Amino acid sequence: MFNLISPRLFSRPARTALAVRHITTWSPAPTPQPAVLRLKTGQEFRGRSFGAQHSVFGETVFTTSITSYTESLTDPSYQGQLLAFTSPLIGNYGVPDNSTPGSAREHPADVDVGCFLESRGVQAAGVIVSELCERFSHFQAYESLASWCARHNVPGIQGVDTRALTTLLRNQGSTLGAILVGKDAERTPDASEFLDPMSENLIARVSTKEPYTIHPVGGESAARARVALLDFGTKANILRSLLRQGVSVTVFPWDYDFNAVRDQFDGLFLSNGPGSPESIAPAIATVAKTIEEWDRPVFGICMGSQIIGLAIGLRAYRMKFGNRGHNQPVLALSPGNMSVQAGRVYITSQNHGYALAYSETGEDAWPEGWQPWFVNANDWSIEGIVRTEALEPNSQKAPVWGVQFHPEHAGGPEDTNPLFDDYVQQVLRYKAMRSIPAHTPGVASQPEARM
């Protein structure tokens, strides 16, 4: 049996964030300095700095999220990006203690996944806001946005006309830029300094370096199944959403040879992550082999969905400015053998700059047995993929699904959160099928699990 000696083996129940602290409304932060947001295309926006007092380069993107700036900034998918918030006031409810076990929802089935937010630190390279609120009010607040960014060495700029910036980025697309602080604010960077983070393997920065296992409430003996997760930069709420379903989750590095240990798990989950899906060719090859040979369910979110597409021969392209926000509508094209209503529009949380190409004919036509599952109701980009041949009666193919949006909703709407329950139910179904003798009438035979 495959055993992991985990650097973090968690099974204790989460405790409330309010247990040992008083209400905080202010925390010390570095004195603001003159700052400028300068784009490679020549435009500039002047303001004042907050957070870390140094300059930074990155890809300038925007999010339409009205709330949950703490969850957005700790989302590993924002690695290497200068994140502009279109909401005019940011920081008004402060930042919680991210070392507190649990989550903002205080779900009874939550266990400690290593952080309170979506990862242990601020993931964005820089932060752009119109108005920064330095005094805050929230029962879970621990410090200000400015002091939090300073502790994590992330610079920010306030006083930017984010409406004008957003219009600019929508018109010309996501643009390389720099937040220049202090004396740097008076210089014009050379074009060679604007390096595109999407050309790097950002996933290697944020993925776990060693495998680890987290068990649900009740420990390993209470787990209904074992799910493996390839970590491309997973959000903590993906782990929480799986653990709430009563399964144990083993998290592997992005380039781990999953197929060497796959039969010791009941399902595979592919996480979100930053950058280009083409930057991780080894993971694409691993998933292609899994899809072709394995007899158990596979589910992917965001980057995970793109990896599924590339693994079956599809093409991923870089979008003009991406879809980032907590209010993105998607249209369901089919149920996908889940509790999805075909023809219904779901409101979703999204953060992606790449999408899968689709055409009914030509080089972007999809292979037989696969079809789009969801499309974006604003720009008609592909928002989901499903293996239709696996849904046919007596099919010998295992089901595979991928969604470009975030059903774990941290933050954002909860419309598609039931997909986690659906996925685990399919994992349990295929696990039960493997325990049924091959000669049982009316049941498709499945290979025995080697545990």
Side-chain angles (χ1 to χ4, degrees):
M1 180 175 178
F2 176 62
N3 291 313
L4 290 173
I5 300 176
S6 170
R8 304 195 280 121
L9 184 60
F10 303 110
S11 59
R12 67 182 185 276
R15 63 179 174 83
T16 176
L18 301 178
V20 292
R21 56 174 313 277
H22 302 290
I23 298 297
T24 300
T25 59
W26 178 86
S27 59
T31 302
Q33 298 183 43
V36 62
L37 169 66
R38 208 163 255 135
L39 303 182
K40 187 177 182 180
T41 47
Q43 302 89 346
E44 66 175 42
F45 297 83
R46 292 193 171 271
R48 294 175 295 127
S49 71
F50 68 92
Q53 300 299 291
H54 65 80
S55 302
V56 68
F57 290 80
E59 181 189 21
T60 313
V61 301
F62 65 90
T63 174
T64 58
S65 303
I66 298 175
T67 62
S68 308
Y69 55 83
T70 50
E71 285 81 2
S72 293
L73 289 172
T74 52
D75 180 352
S77 294
Y78 280 119
Q79 181 74 202
Q81 295 180 320
L82 309 179
L83 180 57
F85 289 92
T86 59
S87 183
L89 180 66
I90 298 294
N92 55 312
Y93 53 86
V95 178
D97 181 0
N98 198 25
S99 65
T100 301
S103 69
R105 298 193 70 192
E106 298 185 354
H107 194 285
D110 277 349
V111 297
D112 184 2
V113 299
C115 58
F116 185 78
L117 297 170
E118 295 309 296
S119 67
R120 292 182 175 179
V122 180
Q123 298 290 341
V127 189
I128 305 164
V129 304
S130 175
E131 182 178 348
L132 176 73
C133 186
E134 298 185 35
R135 290 193 175 273
F136 50 86
S137 178
H138 193 276
F139 71 101
Q140 291 174 323
Y142 177 78
E143 62 183 322
S144 70
L145 177 60
S147 64
W148 185 48
C149 287
R151 282 201 304 109
H152 290 279
N153 201 33
V154 173
I157 181 172
Q158 57 179 310
V160 171
D161 184 346
T162 51
R163 295 174 299 175
L165 175 62
T166 300
T167 301
L168 180 65
L169 295 178
R170 281 189 179 275
N171 290 338
Q172 68 183 28
S174 299
T175 304
L176 300 184
I179 296 176
L180 305 173
V181 177
K183 294 181 180 179
D184 276 354
E186 301 307 317
R187 77 179 185 92
T188 300
D190 186 83
S192 62
E193 295 182 72
F194 292 92
L195 298 178
D196 186 359
M198 298 301 109
S199 64
E200 304 176 34
N201 184 353
L202 299 176
I203 289 172
R205 291 188 196 174
V206 297
S207 177
T208 182
K209 302 303 183 283
E210 298 291 338
Y212 64 91
T213 297
I214 310 178
H215 297 304
V217 169
E220 183 175 10
S221 61
R224 306 160 70 196
R226 300 183 69 194
V227 171
L229 185 148
L230 283 184
D231 180 15
F232 304 133
T234 188
K235 294 173 66 178
N237 223 42
I238 290 177
L239 297 177
R240 295 187 190 104
S241 296
L242 290 169
L243 291 162
R244 288 166 187 165
Q245 297 296 327
V247 300
S248 290
V249 181
T250 298
V251 182
F252 290 104
W254 69 273
D255 57 350
Y256 195 89
D257 183 9
F258 168 70
N259 289 301
V261 298
R262 66 189 184 192
D263 287 342
Q264 297 168 49
F265 295 91
D266 303 304
L268 174 63
F269 205 96
L270 308 174
S271 83
N272 64 294
S276 167
E278 295 178 348
S279 68
I280 52 170
I284 297 171
T286 295
V287 173
K289 182 178 177 66
T290 302
I291 291 173
E292 178 63 27
E293 300 176 353
W294 209 37
D295 61 339
R296 299 165 205 191
V298 178
F299 195 102
I301 284 180
C302 201
M303 177 62 71
S305 182
Q306 295 167 23
I307 295 302
I308 290 172
L310 292 179
I312 65 169
L314 304 184
R315 179 177 65 88
Y317 66 94
R318 191 169 180 175
M319 305 176 75
K320 184 176 181 180
F321 50 80
N323 290 330
R324 299 177 178 89
H326 299 162
N327 51 2
Q328 293 282 338
V330 300
L331 173 65
L333 301 181
S334 75
N337 210 23
M338 289 195 178
S339 59
V340 172
Q341 299 177 27
R344 176 182 166 181
V345 172
Y346 295 82
I347 304 301
T348 66
S349 174
Q350 295 190 22
N351 174 15
H352 64 99
Y354 286 80
L356 294 174
Y358 172 78
S359 177
E360 292 186 358
T361 60
E363 62 179 0
D364 287 331
W366 286 23
E368 186 177 355
W370 297 83
Q371 71 176 39
W373 193 17
F374 295 89
V375 293
N376 192 291
N378 287 331
D379 61 14
W380 301 108
S381 59
I382 300 299
E383 293 285 357
I385 181 172
V386 60
R387 186 186 208 174
T388 53
E389 62 179 339
L391 309 182
E392 299 171 359
N394 299 320
S395 172
Q396 298 301 305
K397 299 291 187 179
V400 181
W401 311 267
V403 293
Q404 195 63 68
F405 49 85
H406 286 267
E408 79 282 356
H409 65 77
E414 302 180 8
D415 288 26
T416 56
N417 185 248
L419 290 178
F420 284 96
D421 179 66
D422 291 342
Y423 168 68
V424 171
Q425 289 302 316
Q426 292 288 350
V427 166
L428 295 174
R429 173 173 170 261
Y430 274 75
K431 179 181 178 182
M433 289 170 65
R434 294 195 302 277
S435 67
I436 298 175
H439 65 270
T440 302
V443 178
S445 61
Q446 299 286 339
E448 289 285 328
R450 297 194 300 272
M451 300 296 287

